[in-house]
Structure formats: C-alpha cells, structure tokens
Amino acid sequence: MASSSLFNPSFSTLNPKPRPFYRNPKINHRPLPAIFCTSSIFDPSSPITNNNSPPHPIKHRRPADENIRDEARRHRSASDDRHNFSAKYVPFNAGFDSPESYSLDEIVYRSRSGGLLDVLHDMDALKKFDGAYWRSLFDSRVGRTTWPYGSGVWSKKEWVLPEIDPDDIVSAFEGNSNLFWAERYGKQFLGMNDLWVKHCGISHTGSFKDLGMTVLVSQVNRLRRMNRPVVGVGCASTGDTSAALSAYCASAGIPSIVFLPANKISTAQLVQPIANGALVLSIDTDFDGCMKLIREVTSELPIYLANSLNSLRLEGQKTAAIEILQQFDWEVPDWVIVPGGNLGNIYAFYKGFKMCQELGLVDRIPRLVCAQAANANPLYLYYKSGWEEFKPVQANSTFASAIQIGDPVSIDRAVYALKNSDGIVEEASEEELMDAMAQADSTGMFICPHTGVALTALIKLRNSGVIGPSDRTVVISTAHGLKFTQSKTDYHSGDIPGMGRFANPPVEVNADFGAVMDVLKNYLLSIL
Ligand SMILES: Cc1ncc(COP(=O)(O)O)c(C=O)c1O
Ligand SMILES: N[C@@H](CCOP(=O)(O)O)C(=O)O
C-alpha cells in the first residue's frame, strides 16, 4: 500500500506505555498447602503476603554467581517434585483414558487417524485441590519476579506443562496483559457500560502468540536437552507466529525457520524474525500454501512444527482466559469476542474457561463469539450453513492480514468451542473493520485491524440486541496496533478508495503565526 506524503515522520514518534501489572487487594490470600510454598515469596507469613505486617524493604542480594533460575532451584522443596500432576496428548475430543495417547516428550502432531491432538491434563489429580485453592495460588503469583511464575503463563504452570523442569523454561514473563475498560468507546458508540478490551498484543513480540510460544519453545528446549532429534523449529506465518517463534528461539539459542507469504505481511512483522536471526523464507504463495509446505517439511526434516496445529501452543494461549477471570475477581463475563484465522485461539479460550469451571474456580463459562474478515470467512460460512458442510475458501486480501486464512487447521477445535459455549460467528467487511479500528483509536486505543474485526462483530450483535447494554463483554485485542501503521496511515490519508469516514489527516500549514491561528480558531469553533 502506498505511503502518504501527508504524514510527517515526526508524527510517528510514539512510546508504547509500560504494561501495568494488576494485583487485586480485595482478594483474600489464603494460606497455601505446604507443597507450593517453595520460597518465601509464596509463604503467607512472609512480609510480602502477610497483610498485617507493615511493608518494609527487603534486602535481596544474590551471590554474584547465581541468577533467578538458580535461586528458584535453591528454593524448590523436595515436595515440589512429589506432586503427581501430568498431561499427555490424546486424539482431539477423546478422554484422558483414551487407548491412543502420547507423552508430551514425543514428537507428534496428528493422531493415528490423521486428526487433531489435544493436551489433556489429569483432572483427577488437579481436583484434589479445590477452586479456592487454585484461585489463591494463581493470585499469589501475579506480578512477581520469581522464576518462572512472573509469567502470566507459567504462573499457571500446573495447568500448562506440569512436568517441565523450570530450568528448561524459556520465558519473557509474557501474559499478565492489560484488561482495559473501554469506557468512552462503550458509552459513545455502543451504549455499553461494561465493555473491556484484553490487550494481548501489549506483549513481548506484540501479539498473543507469545503466550503459546513460551510453552512450545520451552518444550523444545527440554527435548533438545534430552537429545531428541530437534535441530530447529519452523512455522508458516502471517507475521505474528513467526515473530514470537524467532524471539523465543533466539533467546534460547535454538535455530528458527519461518515460511512467510511474500508481500502479504506488514513490514513491522517481517522485520521481527529477520532481526531475531531466523532463516526467513519469503514464499510466493499465501498462508495456506506456506502451511502446506511447512507440514511437509517438518515430516521430512528434524524441524519441530510451531504452528497451532501443535496443541502445545494452545496450553499457553488458554491462560489468557484464566487471566480474564482473575482480573474480574473470578467473576465470569457474559461475552468474549475473539478474532479468528487458523482458529486455534478460539479453542484455547474455551479450554481455559472450561478448565476453570471444571476445577471449581467459577461456575459457568462465557458465550464465545468468533469474528472473521469477510474476505477470509470459511468458519462464518460454515456457521451460516447450520454447520452443514465445511468448505475451505480462497482467502482474499484483507487489512486484517494476520487472519487471511482460507483453510484453518483448527476448524474442528473451533466448532467444538462454539457449540459448547452457545457461541456465535460474525464477519466484518473491509470498511467495517477499518472504521471500527478508527473509532476505537479515536477513544484512546491504538488497536490492530483484527481487533477491528472483533469490534465489528460486537457492533453487529449490539445492533441486533443479542448483546445487551450492560452485558459484561470482553473483546480480545490480538496484536499491537504499531505492527499495522501502514493501513492506519493509508486510512487517515484518504488513500484507500471508498474509505475514511473517520479519517483524521494532519493539517498542513505554513510556518506563519496568522496561518496557524486561523487553523486553530476554525478548529476551536468546530468543537465548541
Ligand atoms: C493478530 C492476530 N489476530 C488473530 C489471529 C487469529 O488467531 P487464530 O489463528 O488462532 O484463529 C491471528 C493469527 O492467526 C493473529 O496473528
Ligand atoms: N496469524 C498467525 C497464523 C498462524 O497461526 P498459528 O496460530 O497456527 O501459528 C500468524 O501470525 O502466523
């Protein structure tokens, strides 16, 4: 897309806000069973967690030859290793007792029949602790730097990869992302008072993919230490998976290989794996073509597959759902709206919510909405057919380029999630998604076009009365807006034919006091 001369480079200086962490003072932190009190940081009697003690500075000096991993290892108690939580791969939709199952240390992506796999946890072992226990444990870890619990993903380690050694974990302390109360957007455009945006894109590599990638790359790290044949890790990508994969691999010193559809991802996304030292293949096809190639390649070479076809990824992504409940003091929102492409994430949300219900942390799950771009809408068409017949589509170009996917690998997972959450599928035209993004930005957000797709779904469901004015609704923002500045620039410059209802181009003015005053007077009169 053409860049605009209207934009002076000085307009583009923007410092992303530091991500705040949340900690709810209203939560009553109950004492934890001894097996989890592995360091003073989780000890309710320590000055950090005992509400009755006056806060005082803790002198914390570690020896020069020790780091936070070593410190965590030193504090780990023998009882830590005695818990019997476990997880394994089973065919998707099979039970924990399925005759077909695989250890997570095996390199396997598909069931014997060629179907999807799922990571299933030993729920009986987890159920030995009640919902209050798990709530309290997870809450006690928020905002810490204790390895590896400072991560929003690894703070739920027992539900993610219970058996991995913390020494093998590769983490950027991802997760704990901002849940933003969209007060003005909700009130002004939707007449809503309880609308929230979960900013999963305010993250290490700028998208929710970090949540899954920390899990996948940690498991790869473990496999390599076990001398399993994993020389590198590869993915097909529309830009975000490749960014996350290359960053986590680079941090662990593991080679990464990414297949990108040539000229179909933003410059900001393209430069991420390049900068992180991945082998970047720009391939003359679309995402679906890249996905087909990486599947063939990973079945021939010792390259581990990092797309969400690999169910490990979803174990990390599901923690965003748990985090939302935690951020609402374990109250369940009415709706959660997720933009969908390869369709792993909608299932990950379902799985996170469902686990919380099954383990007694909450008593119900929210209704899920999956939002697709009309130019890449195979799930929407399937839904509209009454789930009659799924047909992959040829995905057309969309400003929501990260979801330009016509043959999603997780279609079965998505349908399961939607059917079991009384879910809905909506779609957004190009104009609708760009207008929704511009309106949201005008209220102080800076969202990506995929979040514009999700907001369009919300607008439609509000207009039809399906979502009520006071329904507590969470829109999942999946990537940082700074990855998609070109489409925003083009929209506001009026460079996109037929678009720009909410464009706000800069005013060119001579360096002359009178000229500047004229512009300002007109502006002030227009807003009075
Ligand atoms: C920014 C962004 N939003 C949404 C999605 C959709 O997620 P999923 O493929 O899990 O449906 C993707 C990737 O596909 C993405 O990169
Ligand atoms: N949007 C994704 C597409 C691939 O999805 P995945 O979750 O299966 O890796 C991307 O950024 O590549």
Side-chain angles (χ1 to χ4, degrees):
M1 263 152 240
S3 63
S4 166
S5 59
L6 280 177
F7 281 80
N8 182 309
S10 61
F11 281 103
S12 64
T13 351
L14 191 151
N15 292 316
K17 275 196 248 161
R19 191 181 63 206
F21 68 78
Y22 56 86
R23 177 164 175 79
N24 197 318
K26 281 189 275 168
I27 298 282
N28 176 18
H29 294 274
R30 294 173 200 211
L32 300 172
I35 66 161
F36 288 114
C37 295
T38 57
S39 84
S40 62
I41 212 128
F42 299 124
D43 179 353
S45 64
S46 84
I48 302 172
T49 51
N50 184 344
N51 292 337
N52 298 326
S53 306
H56 64 84
I58 298 173
K59 274 237 164 58
H60 194 100
R61 293 279 182 275
R62 62 176 62 90
D65 59 351
E66 186 188 86
N67 58 40
I68 58 168
R69 273 185 207 274
D70 303 324
E71 186 185 60
R73 198 182 310 119
R74 193 156 49 79
H75 283 301
R76 220 174 295 147
S77 70
S79 57
D80 238 15
D81 304 321
R82 254 183 275 131
H83 72 63
N84 57 352
F85 303 134
S86 66
K88 61 187 178 186
Y89 295 120
V90 297
F92 178 66
N93 220 351
F96 195 71
D97 298 330
S98 163
E100 184 184 349
S101 70
Y102 307 89
S103 154
L104 298 187
D105 293 334
E106 287 184 61
I107 298 171
V108 54
Y109 315 116
R110 286 274 182 190
S111 71
R112 273 201 287 275
S113 67
L116 294 163
L117 292 175
D118 204 357
V119 174
L120 277 205
H121 290 259
D122 181 350
M123 296 295 274
D124 289 339
L126 294 171
K127 277 179 187 162
K128 293 205 173 110
F129 300 88
D130 67 7
Y133 167 81
W134 288 115
R135 286 195 301 259
S136 180
L137 178 70
F138 294 160
D139 287 340
S140 74
R141 291 172 174 169
V142 174
R144 303 296 189 203
T145 50
T146 310
W147 186 263
Y149 305 122
S151 155
V153 172
W154 296 108
S155 61
K156 283 105 189 156
K157 180 177 180 292
E158 295 79 2
W159 294 22
V160 175
L161 286 188
E163 289 158 295
I164 197 166
D165 189 316
D167 274 358
D168 290 334
I169 289 175
V170 182
S171 169
F173 278 11
E174 50 291 305
N176 291 334
S177 61
N178 182 14
L179 183 60
F180 173 89
W181 178 36
E183 179 181 14
R184 188 164 155 232
Y185 183 83
K187 192 171 166 186
Q188 186 168 330
F189 297 112
L190 296 160
M192 294 180 81
N193 63 350
D194 210 0
L195 174 63
W196 301 77
V197 178
K198 174 74 170 160
H199 279 298
C200 296
I202 303 181
S203 175
H204 183 56
T205 70
S207 87
F208 72 96
K209 304 287 180 176
D210 293 343
L211 303 175
M213 211 52 82
T214 180
V215 175
L216 185 132
V217 174
S218 297
Q219 180 64 15
V220 168
N221 205 27
R222 170 179 163 97
L223 294 175
R224 281 164 63 94
R225 288 186 189 196
M226 295 165 89
N227 292 321
R228 295 294 160 90
V230 181
V231 178
V233 192
C235 73
S237 184
T238 52
D240 291 321
T241 297
S242 45
L245 175 65
S246 54
Y248 282 85
C249 279
S251 143
I254 299 171
S256 63
I257 299 126
V258 306
F259 288 10
L260 304 179
N263 303 319
K264 289 190 174 65
I265 69 171
S266 76
T267 309
Q269 289 172 309
L270 174 61
V271 80
Q272 290 183 284
I274 291 174
N276 287 142
L279 172 66
V280 179
L281 271 60
S282 178
I283 306 179
D284 183 20
T285 180
D286 55 10
F287 171 81
D288 297 301
C290 289
M291 191 68 222
K292 188 167 170 291
L293 282 168
I294 196 75
R295 283 170 69 169
E296 286 164 1
V297 165
T298 50
S299 66
E300 293 284 324
L301 296 176
I303 296 174
Y304 194 77
L305 179 67
N307 284 101
S308 60
L309 175 65
N310 186 327
S311 39
L312 279 178
R313 280 260 316 277
L314 306 182
E315 290 309 289
Q317 289 174 212
K318 81 181 179 196
T319 61
I322 306 169
E323 212 169 270
I324 289 172
L325 298 175
Q326 195 170 18
Q327 286 168 309
F328 284 133
D329 285 349
W330 304 101
E331 273 181 30
V332 184
D334 300 304
W335 298 92
V336 173
I337 307 179
V338 187
N342 221 10
L343 300 181
N345 211 26
I346 183 80
Y347 178 67
F349 272 94
Y350 170 77
K351 198 171 180 186
F353 288 127
K354 197 68 194 167
M355 265 185 101
C356 286
Q357 184 190 24
E358 284 181 6
L359 291 168
L361 285 75
V362 294
D363 58 4
R364 64 186 179 95
I365 66 168
R367 289 185 71 181
L368 297 181
V369 178
C370 190
Q372 293 213 292
N375 281 357
N377 63 353
L379 179 72
Y380 178 76
L381 296 177
Y382 191 18
Y383 171 77
K384 281 289 172 191
S385 76
W387 303 124
E388 270 294 305
E389 192 194 356
F390 175 69
K391 288 198 200 109
V393 301
Q394 175 63 50
N396 291 315
S397 167
T398 167
F399 287 108
S401 53
I403 53 174
Q404 189 182 328
I405 297 173
D407 192 6
V409 298
S410 286
I411 182 72
D412 294 344
R413 291 173 175 146
V415 173
Y416 184 89
L418 290 159
K419 283 185 177 170
N420 287 287
S421 63
D422 196 9
I424 294 175
V425 187
E426 260 300 349
E427 67 170 358
S429 71
E430 292 301 289
E431 188 173 3
E432 286 169 336
L433 73 91
M434 290 300 279
D435 282 348
M437 178 172 78
Q439 282 186 315
D441 286 356
S442 77
T443 65
M445 291 184 252
F446 196 74
I447 59 167
C448 69
H450 321 84
T451 312
V453 172
L455 286 175
T456 302
L458 170 60
I459 293 166
K460 290 182 174 178
L461 293 170
R462 268 296 293 130
N463 288 344
S464 61
V466 174
I467 295 185
S470 59
D471 287 0
R472 176 171 285 182
T473 304
V474 181
V475 169
I476 305 300
S477 179
T478 45
H480 203 296
L482 286 172
K483 286 193 179 198
F484 300 92
T485 49
Q486 190 61 60
S487 56
K488 285 178 189 285
T489 305
D490 292 339
Y491 180 93
H492 288 289
S493 309
D495 281 352
I496 309 171
M499 262 194 224
R501 273 203 302 155
F502 307 105
N504 177 33
V507 181
E508 283 186 24
V509 58
N510 290 335
D512 169 80
F513 179 74
V516 170
M517 286 296 280
D518 284 348
V519 172
L520 291 180
K521 278 182 201 156
N522 283 339
Y523 172 70
L524 293 177
L525 285 173
S526 76
I527 59 171
L528 277 179

